[in-house]
Amino acid sequence: MKKQNRILICIICISFVQMATNGISAILANIQSYYSTYSASIIQFLMTFPSLFIVLFTIVSAKLLHFFSKKKLIEFGLICVIGSGILSFVGHQSLVILFVGAALLGVGVGFCASFAISLISDYYAPNQRGKIVGIQTAASNFGSMMMTFFGGFLALLGWHYNYFVYFLAIPGLLFTHFWLNDKKEEAQNQSGMLQCTYSFKICLLIILFMFFFYVGPTSIAMLLAENGYTNASLAGSAATLLLLGGTLSSLVFDSFEKKFNNYCLCIGFLLLAIGYICMGVGRNLIIIYMGCFLAGSSISFVMPKCMLLISMHEKKENVSIATAMAMASSNIGTLIAPVFTIICTNVFCTTNTIGRLNIAFIICTIIFVLGIVLIRVKGEIENGK
């Protein structure tokens, strides 16, 4: 097998755990019932809590390239992901242990997720990257989709069985161990965050998008419960459709990117808005599921485009740290997503999930319109020059 094909398989399998924080989305309502004395925002925070550690250890892992190869750091990360599943399953009777397991998951994802993207710049030419970035994003969504789908059915045995989905990290661990080069790449170790000036703007956009994107995954189980659908497998199916949307749209990203360029970012916010209004007004599973699919499709227009912009505008020696910054920003947005629940409660006096989704629809629509205007104005200014 050609080296690039082996690298692509490694990238795909490592990417399976990039969105592993979605792994418990199908059982949030079950966890809330089990820990009924805690608020909904606390239980939602269990899903986004790993992002705090992803942010930290994504940056730490980039710095550790001074001392270790990407292979060793990726292997360590994948082992942590597997360990988090075991710990959370064994200690599910303690909410503290569940948060510790979530933290370990964040450490694991932080150590390997950004490298799955930076490997693209290491091994593929610029004209190949759009296609590979699309495949990588599809793999990320597909891995998370498998976690939510099988997690929903595992939860029928008991909600804590859902944590076995983190064993999906095993193929990535094996392929990385046998196929990835075990060497340090000195050229990438000389960069610093201050050199990545272009990426700072992209990181702000990523934080904004992920903040609103994760309103969906953290609301699915509770939305269905409010509509009378309390079966965890139904929530698992809804979460799976959300991720299926991201997986399928990733496969057409390269074609869309070539045709629409920066408007891909606007398309992402538009799909998110349409998805949320369908989820918010829907009273039957078909409309809710349709909304989940459309909302999930949005991420595959925004995140790959952001990563592609970074790979095209940053120097090669800065790509690893810039990618780490982008991944950290993604997880900052994910981490603070439950704050939206608090804002809706205190500012908009909305306590139910349907109200939160409707508010998210309005804001995402406004962002879509502003994005169109800004891109057109920028284009006219550049053409005037």
Side-chain angles (χ1 to χ4, degrees), residues 13-145:
C13 291
I14 296 166
S15 298
F16 283 163
V17 303
Q18 183 176 324
M19 297 174 66
T21 53
N22 284 335
I24 64 168
S25 61
I27 58 169
L28 284 181
N30 303 73
I31 297 175
Q32 186 172 21
S33 296
Y34 190 84
Y35 295 102
S36 57
T37 57
Y38 293 90
S39 68
S41 59
I42 292 295
I43 301 304
Q44 286 179 324
F45 191 51
L46 181 64
M47 181 173 167
T48 60
F49 183 64
S51 300
L52 176 63
F53 294 86
I54 296 174
V55 170
L56 176 61
F57 285 93
T58 295
I59 301 300
V60 169
S61 65
K63 295 297 183 182
L64 287 176
L65 285 173
H66 288 285
F67 311 103
F68 303 100
S69 66
K70 285 184 180 179
K71 175 179 179 177
K72 284 188 170 62
L73 294 175
I74 291 170
E75 287 176 336
F76 176 76
L78 293 171
I79 290 170
C80 287
V81 171
I82 297 167
S84 73
I86 296 172
L87 177 63
S88 299
F89 175 80
V90 173
H92 70 277
Q93 293 180 330
S94 167
L95 188 60
V96 173
I97 297 298
L98 291 184
F99 271 99
V100 172
L104 185 60
L105 175 66
V107 173
V109 175
F111 265 99
C112 61
S114 65
F115 293 139
I117 299 170
S118 66
L119 286 172
I120 296 173
S121 296
D122 293 344
Y123 290 96
Y124 294 91
N127 64 332
Q128 297 175 299
R129 291 175 191 170
K131 180 180 179 180
I132 303 302
V133 166
I135 293 173
Q136 187 275 329
T137 305
S140 173
N141 282 279
F142 182 71
S144 190
M145 182 179 69

Side-chain angles (χ1 to χ4, degrees), residues 63 66 186-201 203 310 313-323 325:
K63 295 297 183 182
H66 288 285
E186 300 297 334
Q188 293 184 340
N189 295 338
Q190 299 170 3
S191 61
M193 285 187 287
L194 294 179
Q195 295 175 289
C196 305
T197 53
Y198 178 83
S199 296
F200 280 109
K201 295 180 289 185
C203 288
I310 287 173
H313 287 81
E314 295 291 356
K315 296 178 181 178
K316 185 174 181 180
E317 61 268 22
N318 292 345
V319 169
S320 285
I321 189 67
T323 303
M325 288 166 54

Side-chain angles (χ1 to χ4, degrees), residues 147-260:
M147 288 185 184
T148 56
F149 180 75
F150 290 110
F153 287 100
L154 286 170
L156 296 176
L157 303 173
W159 61 264
H160 55 292
Y161 281 86
N162 184 98
Y163 283 100
F164 282 128
V165 299
Y166 294 134
F167 280 34
L168 188 60
I170 291 175
L173 180 62
L174 294 175
F175 285 122
T176 298
H177 181 75
F178 290 109
W179 285 352
L180 203 60
N181 290 333
D182 189 14
K183 65 178 182 179
K184 291 186 289 183
E185 297 178 26
E186 300 297 334
Q188 293 184 340
N189 295 338
Q190 299 170 3
S191 61
M193 285 187 287
L194 294 179
Q195 295 175 289
C196 305
T197 53
Y198 178 83
S199 296
F200 280 109
K201 295 180 289 185
I202 299 297
C203 288
L204 291 175
L205 175 62
I206 290 173
I207 291 172
L208 178 67
F209 174 76
M210 293 304 293
F211 176 78
F212 286 104
F213 178 80
Y214 259 83
V215 170
T218 57
S219 299
I220 287 174
M222 295 173 187
L223 172 68
L224 291 176
E226 287 179 11
N227 283 283
Y229 303 107
T230 56
N231 192 315
S233 64
L234 294 177
S237 298
T240 300
L241 281 171
L242 185 141
L243 296 161
L244 178 62
T247 302
L248 295 180
S249 59
S250 298
L251 300 178
V252 299
F253 166 75
D254 189 38
S255 300
F256 269 78
E257 195 277 331
K258 289 175 180 175
K259 184 174 182 179
F260 295 104

